[in-house]
């Protein structure tokens, strides 16, 4: 008996768990295609600078959670902790900044070294959508509507609340930052150590603090609404107007922020109460400066990412395993015909399996164990007449069917 187990924070996806997982990804992929999004696949590891630039060198992800190592050539590489940065890097690397807009969907594993808990793993999976090259607020509303439609298609939208906020433009953020500095400086000595560091470098990040010492001061902090320029307010008004046209319900949450300078305007989260404390399952916003951080020209962008594990937990019922048709040869002379029948069914798009050993009774038991919907029994007597016995395993009814008619009878 081996004592080898998955590494802490990772897991195997088998049976029902994989069906849940695949259903989330397939549903998202299909819905995104209807919106005109094309799927991209970027490397699982990148030059460390891709994430240090995009996540900020003071963020918890960069300082505490990234899997970073030197490869055999001495280069610093990082297993991706998220994929927006990789998508923007790919846009620049592949010369696509002259072919805008780009509407990108992705799905794949991400890696963060953090305490595993319900719906959160060190190797986890995300789906995401990025709309790059459109500065208009319609783009923000459209990617949010895509997220809502995915949640609706999965049957989890009824337990979900969309929370939105605006981060304003650069002028709005500068004024807001100054107001936050003044507020938190007055309480500096009572703040957590991390928040005192953030006060000097990036005060908006204090609003993300989970430290209980910071909560009273976060609750009384000013909000950005009082510091918006006229143009930033007009942008936010238009996003809300478009969301209403898309029939996407939302509430406003002035505490949703993004701490880095290239985030601006819309920030949003889809939140559920069905997962306990880990309520955010899809989040995103506008990042008009990120492509420039990757060495490209100034390029607007907006998008979101969602955790597949968390969405899988919310599915009311797992997708059922597909029921095959069992092909059962009786006697060596019937095996060649049975194999021909097996491939004919498969090529017609019918899931078909064959038992590898055992007599008729044993193979029928195997078919029932595999939850087969029907059994095709081919014996030597049937071979000579070009027929097979077709048995419905739910009703028990059995009839003789010509080999040429099997596909029609099973579709």
């Amino acid at each position: 008996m081996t004592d080898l187990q998955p590494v802490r924070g990772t897991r195997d996806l088998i049976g029902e768990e994989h069906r849940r997982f695949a259903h989330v990804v397939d549903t998202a992929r299909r819905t995104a295609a209807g919106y005109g999004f094309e799927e991209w696949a970027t490397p699982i590891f990148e030059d460390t600078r891709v994430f240090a630039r995009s996540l900020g060198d003071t963020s918890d992800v960069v300082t505490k959670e990234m899997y970073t190592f030197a490869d055999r050539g001495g280069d610093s590489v990082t297993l991706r902790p998220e994929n927006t940065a990789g998508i923007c890097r790919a846009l620049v690397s592949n010369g696509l900044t002259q072919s805008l807009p780009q509407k990108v969907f992705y799905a794949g594993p991400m890696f963060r070294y953090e305490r595993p808990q319900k719906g959160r793993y060190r190797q986890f999976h995300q789906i995401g959508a990025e709309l790059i090259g459109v500065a208009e607020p319609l783009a923000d509303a459209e990617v949010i509507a895509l997220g809502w439609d995915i949640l609706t298609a999965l049957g989890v939208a009824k337990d979900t609340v969309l929370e939105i906020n605006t981060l304003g433009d650069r002028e709005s953020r500068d004024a807001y930052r100054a107001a936050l500095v003044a507020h938190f400086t007055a309480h500096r000595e009572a703040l957590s150590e991390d928040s005192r560091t953030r006060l000097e470098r990036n005060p908006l990040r204090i609003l993300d603090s989970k430290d209980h010492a910071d909560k009273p001061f976060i609750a009384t902090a000013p909000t950005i609404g009082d510091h918006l320029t006229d143009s930033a307010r007009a942008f936010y008004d238009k996003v809300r107007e478009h969301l209403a046209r898309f029939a996407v319900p939302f509430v406003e949450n002035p505490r949703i922020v993004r701490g880095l300078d290239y985030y601006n305007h819309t920030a949003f989260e889809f939140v559920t109460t069905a997962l306990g404390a880990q309520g955010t399952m899809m989040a995103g916003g506008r990042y008009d400066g990120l492509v420039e951080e990757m060495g490209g020209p100034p390029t607007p962008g907006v998008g979101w990412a969602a955790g597949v594990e968390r969405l899988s937990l919310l599915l009311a019922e797992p997708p059922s395993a597909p029921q095959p048709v069992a092909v059962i040869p009786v006697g060596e002379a019937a095996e060649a015909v049975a194999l021909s029948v097996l491939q004919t069914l498969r090529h017609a798009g019918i899931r078909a399996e064959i038992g590898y050993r055992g007599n008729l009774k044993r193979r029928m038991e195997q078919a029932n164990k595999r939850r087969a919907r029907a059994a095709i029994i081919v014996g030597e007597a049937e071979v000579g007449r070009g027929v097979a016995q077709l048995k419905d395993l739910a009703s028990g009814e059995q009839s003789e069917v010509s080999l040429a008619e099997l596909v029609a009878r099973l579709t």
Side-chain angles (χ1 to χ4, degrees), residues 42 62-63 79 124 135 148 156 178 190 206 229 236 239 243 250 252 263 265 290 296 322 333 337 345 362 384 405 411:
T42 60
V62 171
T63 60
L79 297 178
F124 59 101
W148 177 254
V156 302
I206 298 176
T229 62
Y236 188 40
V239 171
L243 286 175
F250 62 89
E252 295 182 65
Y263 287 113
H265 292 301
L290 183 53
V337 174
L345 296 176
R362 173 69 172 160
E405 294 178 359
T411 52

Side-chain angles (χ1 to χ4, degrees), residues 157-194:
K158 62 184 182 301
D159 300 317
T160 302
V161 175
L162 168 62
E163 299 181 354
I164 67 169
N165 190 28
T166 179
L167 306 177
D169 52 20
R170 178 63 65 101
E171 186 179 344
S172 304
R173 287 167 62 81
D174 287 346
Y176 184 44
R177 185 180 288 108
L180 286 177
V181 169
H183 171 75
F184 287 119
T185 298
H187 306 285
R188 190 181 190 284
E189 297 309 314
L191 294 174
S192 66
E193 183 178 349
D194 280 348

Side-chain angles (χ1 to χ4, degrees), residues 83-165:
N83 206 30
T84 301
I87 294 296
C88 290
R89 193 274 310 149
L91 182 88
V92 175
S93 300
N94 291 278
L96 295 173
T97 56
Q98 302 302 313
S99 302
L100 299 175
Q102 293 286 338
K103 302 173 80 172
V104 182
F105 171 80
Y106 65 83
M110 313 294 159
F111 305 85
R112 294 189 187 186
Y113 188 86
E114 57 184 345
R115 183 172 62 86
Q117 52 190 292
K118 183 179 181 181
R120 176 176 288 179
Y121 301 88
R122 289 177 175 175
Q123 176 180 306
F124 59 101
H125 298 79
Q126 287 185 338
I127 53 174
E130 316 291 350
L131 205 175
I132 305 173
V134 181
E136 287 75 14
L138 177 57
D140 306 52
E142 187 174 29
V143 297
I144 293 172
L146 168 59
W148 177 254
D149 280 355
I150 290 171
L151 298 178
T152 300
L154 290 171
V156 302
K158 62 184 182 301
D159 300 317
T160 302
V161 175
L162 168 62
E163 299 181 354
I164 67 169
N165 190 28

